[in-house]
Amino acid sequence: MRIGLLTDGGYPYTAGESGLWCDRLVRGLARHEFDIFALSRSREQEARGLVALPPHVRRVRTAPLWAAPETRAGRRRAERGYGRRERREFAAQFGRLATALCTDGADGAGGTGSAEGADGFAEGLYGLAALAREHGGLGGELRSETAVRILEAACRAPGANRAVRAARVPDHLAFAALLDRTLRPLSLDWYGDDALASVDLSHAVSGGRAALPGLLAKRFCGVPLLVTEYGVQLRAQYLANAQLSASVRALEAGFQRRLAAEVYARAELITPGNTHARRWQERCGADRAKLRTVYPGMSADRFHAVGEGAYGGEPHTLVWVGRIEPAKDLIALLHAFAEVRKAEPDARLRLFSAPAHDAEAAGYLAQCRALAAQLFPDEAADAHAIGDNPVSFEEIGGPEAPELADAYAAGSVVVLSSVVEGFPLSLVEAMFCGRATVSTDTGAVVEVIGGTGLVVPPRNPRALADACLALLRDPERRSRLGAAARARALELFTVEQNLAAFRGIYLELMSHNPVHRDSADEAVAPQPFAHPAEAHVPGRWVAPTAARGRAAQGKHGPGRADGPVAVLMQERLDTARERDAAAEGEGA
């Protein structure tokens, strides 16, 4: 079948979110064809280019979110502007959408708000999409004075959320700019017969903006939609908008909640990556019957040697692996290690990370280095030895850890100290390596660990230190927990289980939601897939016209139209009956 893969800021670009997972999915399901529809987030991302794609990727359509749409319809629209009728239609549809956003959460109940608001949001969204499809892009109108006045009126209307009532003109302008970027997919030329209308299934690899083309493909073309979320986009938007004013944050949150609810309502199936994401989706109104947890697939091969015991690791060394950022709470880890060091003077802490690429990460790394130097002055065994700090900051790819597996092989216990975490990939990697773990209870940690490691509350250095000491002092327990962790990871978190799950989901969805396509040959019945399954089976699957007519009218009663498979089966049954009759005649 043909899959339309919908991405936002990731695959197939060489740099971006969820790129590795999508690449494994596409390469692992080589029997399907893929059309990739990608939204890029920056000029730099596009400049880095695309990854090398396998041959069953038919085409890649990209659209920038950082610039105006590049479609011809959008250019014509920008040149001549909307007419009076189009402006009236825009005002009506945008008014419905703005009213729904401003009343979201006004009753204090949270969630997705009232059913009337959800209906108004959907009507406005699809109305704007139809307008953009017929008359061109919406960018100019969304940034117009008309849009700002409609938004201002909706914010001041009775029943509006208290936070949005405080919005001023700069807030309206800021939100209109955000909305213009978010609704950019409505203005794309992705919904014709040569694009999403030609696929059998749309698969959005994240919620939010990435799923918008899938919503429109289902609305305009009847293409079923599958949504996968390994990190909940609504939660990510909440965290990303901290620098905005309270009014703009309220408007943006209202839009994202309404959009998430609409995506979950229209999708045939939703596959969260863990129970943490699933709870968010249920809170946004997702039907539990549509939810099916599919854990992310990770490659276990590169950790095989460490997991099989080829590298035992230093028995008194704690290892941390991850990105240097405040959410990882390395400050708490360093204070916890100070307590460990008092009880176990031979203990060491090795922190492995990728090089810091931004100012925030570099600043936080400098802060952690300064704290480590303060807590742990260089120590020497005697008066003639060189002092050494028990805490080391190392980069993966350096002399001590040329590969990621070498980082986990360096110690006997792996520590995770985060205060915010989605799906903890570093814990899964440690489990592949057969390492005992100590983690803070955040995100999907408990679900991933499943009793094969120690879990403590976040922001509690004393509890973190006690758990680390318990494992450092008990080699037998470390070995037992590490073996159990490796067995659990190999069962639940490998690439193979992920591919098997999506292979079954694709076939299941298409069996319930076939997209019928007419054949150019009138004598051949319409087929449900772009490349039907019988095309890959040897033998003659299309029977002569006479046999097809006989099977349709004679054998199974009038009015029943059987496909090529049933016709072939009937032909084989007729041949068997003739053979049996001839045998009986010879016996007589």
Side-chain angles (χ1 to χ4, degrees):
M1 69 180 68
R2 187 178 300 165
I3 309 299
L5 200 65
L6 312 175
T7 69
D8 178 12
Y11 189 75
Y13 294 104
T14 55
E17 301 169 4
S18 70
L20 186 58
W21 168 75
C22 291
D23 191 58
R24 289 171 178 164
L25 177 72
V26 171
R27 295 182 185 276
L29 300 180
R31 293 188 177 182
H32 301 300
E33 291 182 343
F34 284 86
D35 289 355
I36 301 175
F37 298 85
L39 302 173
S40 69
R41 296 186 181 177
S42 66
R43 188 186 301 274
E44 291 74 18
Q45 185 181 49
E46 290 195 11
R48 292 179 182 177
L50 307 180
V51 299
L53 297 172
H56 57 279
V57 174
R58 296 174 62 251
R59 60 187 168 187
V60 177
R61 301 281 296 271
T62 64
L65 296 180
W66 46 270
E70 295 294 334
T71 64
R72 286 177 293 178
R75 288 197 296 268
R76 289 197 304 268
R77 184 69 274 148
E79 291 172 0
R80 68 175 184 266
Y82 275 9
R84 183 178 302 174
R85 180 179 301 176
E86 289 91 348
R87 288 198 184 96
R88 283 201 302 266
E89 180 67 14
F90 171 82
Q93 303 300 347
F94 186 73
R96 293 188 180 95
L97 186 138
T99 300
L101 303 186
C102 293
T103 57
D104 183 80
D107 55 0
T112 58
S114 64
E116 293 80 4
D119 292 340
F121 176 85
E123 291 178 6
L125 180 67
Y126 294 128
L128 291 175
L131 188 64
R133 191 183 188 197
E134 184 176 356
H135 299 287
L138 296 170
E141 298 302 320
L142 288 171
R143 296 188 299 268
S144 67
E145 183 179 354
T146 300
V148 174
R149 287 181 176 178
I150 293 173
L151 190 59
E152 182 180 14
C155 290
R156 296 180 178 179
N161 191 333
R162 181 182 303 174
V164 305
R165 285 202 295 266
R168 298 294 180 263
V169 172
D171 299 321
H172 301 146
L173 292 172
F175 178 66
L178 288 174
L179 203 57
D180 170 36
R181 183 166 178 164
T182 303
L183 295 181
R184 192 70 54 78
L186 273 62
S187 303
L188 301 176
D189 56 350
W190 286 1
Y191 313 106
D193 293 337
D194 61 338
L196 280 171
S198 66
V199 304
D200 298 311
L201 174 69
S202 295
H203 185 179
V205 300
S206 64
R209 185 169 48 199
L212 261 178
L215 277 180
L216 303 188
K218 180 168 184 180
R219 177 81 171 188
F220 297 140
C221 315
V223 178
L225 173 62
L226 168 66
V227 177
T228 296
E229 282 192 305
Y230 287 137
V232 182
Q233 289 299 304
L234 179 59
R235 175 179 175 272
Q237 289 294 331
Y238 287 165
L239 297 176
N241 293 330
Q243 75 282 3
L244 301 175
S245 68
S247 299
V248 178
R249 288 202 306 271
L251 288 167
E252 179 69 4
F255 177 84
Q256 295 296 338
R257 280 195 294 266
R258 295 292 190 191
L259 178 59
E262 182 65 16
V263 169
Y264 298 153
R266 303 304 173 192
E268 268 68 34
L269 194 66
I270 308 160
T271 55
N274 51 72
T275 303
H276 176 66
R278 185 179 182 129
R279 286 196 296 266
W280 273 83
Q281 292 166 343
E282 289 182 0
R283 187 70 179 89
C284 291
D287 184 0
R288 289 187 178 183
K290 294 183 178 181
L291 295 172
R292 187 177 306 175
T293 301
V294 178
Y295 293 116
M298 299 178 61
S299 176
D301 295 341
R302 57 178 172 170
F303 305 108
H304 178 76
V306 180
E308 291 299 317
Y311 305 92
E314 293 294 330
H316 299 288
T317 299
L318 302 174
V319 169
W320 177 93
V321 180
R323 297 190 309 273
I324 300 290
E325 59 184 11
K328 303 302 182 182
D329 202 8
L330 294 182
I331 301 299
L333 176 58
L334 290 172
H335 283 288
F337 183 67
E339 300 298 322
V340 171
R341 184 77 173 172
K342 291 177 183 177
E344 292 289 335
D346 293 333
R348 297 186 62 85
L349 174 63
R350 300 181 68 177
L351 299 105
F352 295 91
S353 67
H357 290 294
D358 55 68
E360 182 182 12
Y364 188 69
L365 176 59
Q367 181 183 357
C368 293
R369 287 181 181 274
L371 179 61
Q374 180 182 355
L375 292 175
F376 311 101
D378 291 344
E379 299 178 3
D382 53 52
H384 304 286
I386 299 175
D388 184 27
N389 195 304
V391 177
S392 61
F393 295 84
E394 306 171 47
E395 290 185 358
I396 297 173
E400 297 295 329
E403 301 292 339
L404 183 60
D406 298 323
Y408 294 104
S412 60
V413 177
V414 176
V415 186
L416 183 143
S417 55
S418 303
V419 293
V420 177
E421 193 74 48
F423 188 88
L425 298 179
S426 62
L427 278 190
V428 177
E429 293 169 346
M431 293 166 72
F432 281 141
C433 293
R435 291 300 188 256
T437 59
V438 176
S439 315
T440 49
D441 185 5
T442 179
V445 164
V446 173
E447 181 182 1
V448 168
I449 291 298
T452 64
L454 304 186
V455 181
V456 301
R459 300 187 187 279
N460 191 330
R462 167 55 66 182
L464 192 63
D466 290 344
C468 291
L469 284 171
L471 291 183
L472 289 175
R473 292 171 172 173
D474 194 340
E476 183 179 350
R477 188 182 185 188
R478 288 201 311 267
S479 177
R480 186 170 63 251
L481 288 176
R486 177 167 168 77
R488 178 176 174 82
L490 291 175
E491 178 184 1
L492 297 178
F493 306 124
T494 61
V495 174
E496 290 74 19
Q497 66 83 25
N498 182 269
L499 293 177
F502 279 110
R503 186 180 294 112
I505 287 171
Y506 284 175
L507 294 176
E508 175 188 342
L509 290 180
M510 288 311 306
S511 68
H512 292 93
N513 302 276
V515 179
H516 288 274
R517 308 184 192 285
D518 294 331
S519 172
D521 185 359
E522 295 181 357
V524 178
Q527 301 295 339
F529 306 123
H531 291 283
E534 59 264 28
H536 302 284
V537 179
R540 182 169 58 86
W541 285 84
V542 179
T545 306
R548 190 160 49 244
R550 183 175 67 253
Q553 299 295 333
K555 297 297 182 183
H556 301 287
R560 178 171 177 176
D562 293 335
V565 177
V567 172
L568 179 60
M569 295 298 294
Q570 187 61 45
E571 283 188 335
R572 292 179 175 176
L573 180 60
D574 291 343
T575 303
R577 285 175 175 169
E578 292 172 0
R579 185 174 58 250
D580 294 341
E584 290 178 1
E586 292 176 359

